[in-house]
Amino acid sequence: MIMGFIGFGKVSRNLAELIDSDDVEFITSIEGRSDSTIENIDESKIEVLPTFKEVAAKSDILISATSPKAAADVAKAYGKFVSGIYLDLNNISLETTLEIDKHVKNLVDGAIIGKIDSDNPTLYISGKTASKLLFLDEFLDVKVISEKAGDVAVLKLLRSSYTKTLTALLIESFEIAQKHDLENEFFEIVSLTEGDDFKEKSLSRITNTLKNPKRKAEELEEIISCFDDGELIMVKSALEKLNQY
């Protein structure tokens, strides 16, 4: 089986490490990729083809893990060359997912929940051919939600609306605590109700968000695009906060 990647950031790189099987061959391309992505590919030692068109055509499973804004364009450009499963792992809206479904034959809508670099993250999937990916359960926890592409898109955006809005509040509170030289005390007092691992998890969230504020802001924009009925006050505030970085 050949598994191809369009986009080779943290998600793709760790999936290639987790799916440790002699029966799976990984391919990608460095076409138009950044220096950091090319470095990731070189370190992973997977097969590199000249173009993504060739990657798409050769793959039994093509994984799109790029960015929310690029997801639809990637599907339009390469989906028509995929005869196998097209697995989209981008944090995109239901509207974008349904648009992608118009351009690929076998869309599976997916989301990785939990740290991708952990030993056993959870892959949630939906779509008519989602059950064909249950073999991946040998390498990570796989849960099929339904045969309806888009169900996972809604769930992952709901999760993101909670986690990213909460993280924006954490950043704001932490910054105020720093100004008062009370950051350690801040984590200590909140840990009394939120648990002993609150500081560790919070700092991880804050660090990850501040390393990728543009990417996180794009995900919030997808949430607003999908769900906005004039009530997303907190999500819009979180987006405003992230746009400051």
Side-chain angles (χ1 to χ4, degrees), residues 72-143:
D73 289 338
V74 166
K76 291 174 185 177
Y78 306 111
K80 58 192 170 187
F81 303 112
V82 183
S83 57
I85 291 174
Y86 187 100
L87 174 60
D88 191 290
L89 293 178
N90 298 295
N91 207 357
I92 54 178
S93 68
L94 174 60
E95 181 181 3
T96 303
T97 300
L98 295 179
E99 178 64 24
I100 289 172
D101 197 31
K102 297 175 184 178
H103 301 279
V104 302
K105 294 179 181 177
N106 299 300
L107 174 64
V108 173
D109 172 26
I112 294 176
I113 306 301
K115 289 185 176 181
I116 182 58
D117 53 359
S118 66
D119 292 334
N120 193 34
T122 301
L123 173 64
Y124 285 85
I125 50 178
S126 65
K128 291 181 179 178
T129 57
S131 60
K132 292 183 178 180
L133 296 180
L134 282 171
F135 76 94
L136 293 173
D137 199 52
E138 182 179 347
F139 312 103
L140 63 164
D141 190 14
V142 180
K143 295 185 180 297

Side-chain angles (χ1 to χ4, degrees), residues 169-183 186 241:
L169 179 59
L170 277 171
I171 292 171
E172 189 167 87
S173 299
F174 181 57
E175 288 173 341
I176 294 172
Q178 285 182 311
K179 289 180 181 178
H180 290 272
D181 196 25
L182 290 170
E183 56 265 39
F186 162 69
K241 179 68 178 179

